Amino acid sequence: MGTALGRAWLAAGHPLTVWNRTPGRTAALTAEGAVAAGSAAEAVAANRLVVACLLDDASVGTALDGADLAGHDLVNLTTGTPAEARERGVWAEKRGARFLDGGIMAVPPMIGAPGAFVLYSGHQELFEEQRGALAVPAGTEYVGADPGLAALYDVALLSGMYGMLAGITHAFALLRGTEVAPGDFAALLVPWLNAMAGTAQETAGRLTSGDYTTGVVSNLAMQVAGSGTLLRTAAEQGVSAELLTPFLHLMRDRVAAGHAEEDTTGLVDVLRTR
Ligand SMILES: NC(=O)c1ccc[n+]([C@@H]2O[C@H](COP(=O)([O-])OP(=O)(O)OC[C@H]3O[C@@H](n4cnc5c(N)ncnc54)[C@H](OP(=O)(O)O)[C@@H]3O)[C@@H](O)[C@H]2O)c1
């Protein structure tokens, strides 16, 4: 990811100093005009704006331990939890730096292309002042002054993605070994998932209003009754239902608690009380 980010800045004509723990991995960027620093501390000293994109929060602490951050703007694009981002913010401020946390919503080939965006939270003036440079590799979305917010949004978006990936995995497992060509099925699955994605807007509306029943077209009673078909089909096809059952059990329990007329919105509350 660091290489993809660096490439975008170099292509836009930004001067760039790079550091990586394993030195050889900066070769692609130095070949395109970046200056390789001999240490993280040397890289930090080269510019006011310092962007960290390492494996995890602990590696950021390790890498920047000996660097003088005073007077610098530290933008941390390393994926972490909200609490880690807040603690890293305090850590950076104690060392005299302004701090912004970021969550990259893209894979490396998307960097520099339309569609990629980065969620930012933390020091707002830093964000405004450095926005020109930050907007080069990807779109920018500032979500608030609490440094933990970008990570919270990031992980919530990734969690939505993993739910979708679980469904895709189960669907292909049902068809594996049959005469259905995976590509033919994908041509139907993608528009179906796109059509169903609008459920997120409905859920948002119901969470805001607190009304989980008015206008529900697919209530939990119907969905739980139908879930037996999903489980029997999985058994017929010799496929484990382990990706499906947690969600089906949540729906079943919500019905048992007297909420058969709701849609799935109430499951949000169930998850917060178990
Ligand atoms: N790749 C993606 O699709 C993607 C998408 C969104 C967000 N991200 C986030 O971007 C960050 C980087 O991901 P990546 O794909 O670039 O991962 P990566 O290819 O595995 O690179 C990890 C980097 O962290 C460095 N590192 C690991 N431990 C370190 C330590 N203790 N001290 C100093 N440096 C250390 C590695 O250095 P060495 O070269 O020396 O090992 C390497 O430069 C992660 O937080 C990831 O979650 C990635």
Side-chain angles (χ1 to χ4, degrees), residues 83-191:
E84 284 170 346
R86 287 184 196 111
E87 282 162 29
R88 190 58 59 201
V90 171
W91 177 94
E93 275 160 25
K94 269 192 196 147
R95 286 161 174 76
R98 301 193 297 183
F99 182 78
L100 194 62
D101 197 67
I104 304 173
M105 304 315 299
V107 292
M110 290 167 67
I111 297 298
F117 68 100
V118 178
L119 297 153
Y120 289 102
S121 64
H123 204 292
Q124 188 161 10
E125 289 80 33
L126 185 177
F127 174 73
E128 301 296 348
E129 287 168 29
Q130 300 287 5
R131 195 175 198 162
L134 297 178
V136 168
T140 59
E141 195 75 46
Y142 181 78
V143 292
D146 169 4
L149 276 176
L152 184 59
Y153 272 79
D154 183 351
V155 172
L157 290 171
L158 289 176
S159 301
M161 179 192 78
Y162 278 114
M164 182 188 73
L165 292 178
I168 291 172
T169 302
H170 183 82
F172 276 109
L174 289 178
L175 297 165
R176 193 79 171 146
T178 71
E179 65 193 46
V180 181
D184 291 347
F185 180 67
L188 294 172
L189 182 60
V190 171

Side-chain angles (χ1 to χ4, degrees), residues 46-64:
N47 288 292
R48 180 181 178 98
L49 176 60
V50 177
V51 178
C53 187
L54 300 175
L55 186 64
D56 54 16
D57 178 67
S59 55
V60 175
T62 307
L64 294 180

Side-chain angles (χ1 to χ4, degrees), residues 1-2 19-22 25 53-56 59 62-63 77-79 104 106-108:
M1 185 57 89
W19 173 82
N20 191 78
R21 182 181 58 179
T22 306
R25 295 188 74 189
C53 187
L54 300 175
L55 186 64
D56 54 16
S59 55
T62 307
L77 300 185
T78 304
T79 306
I104 304 173
V107 292

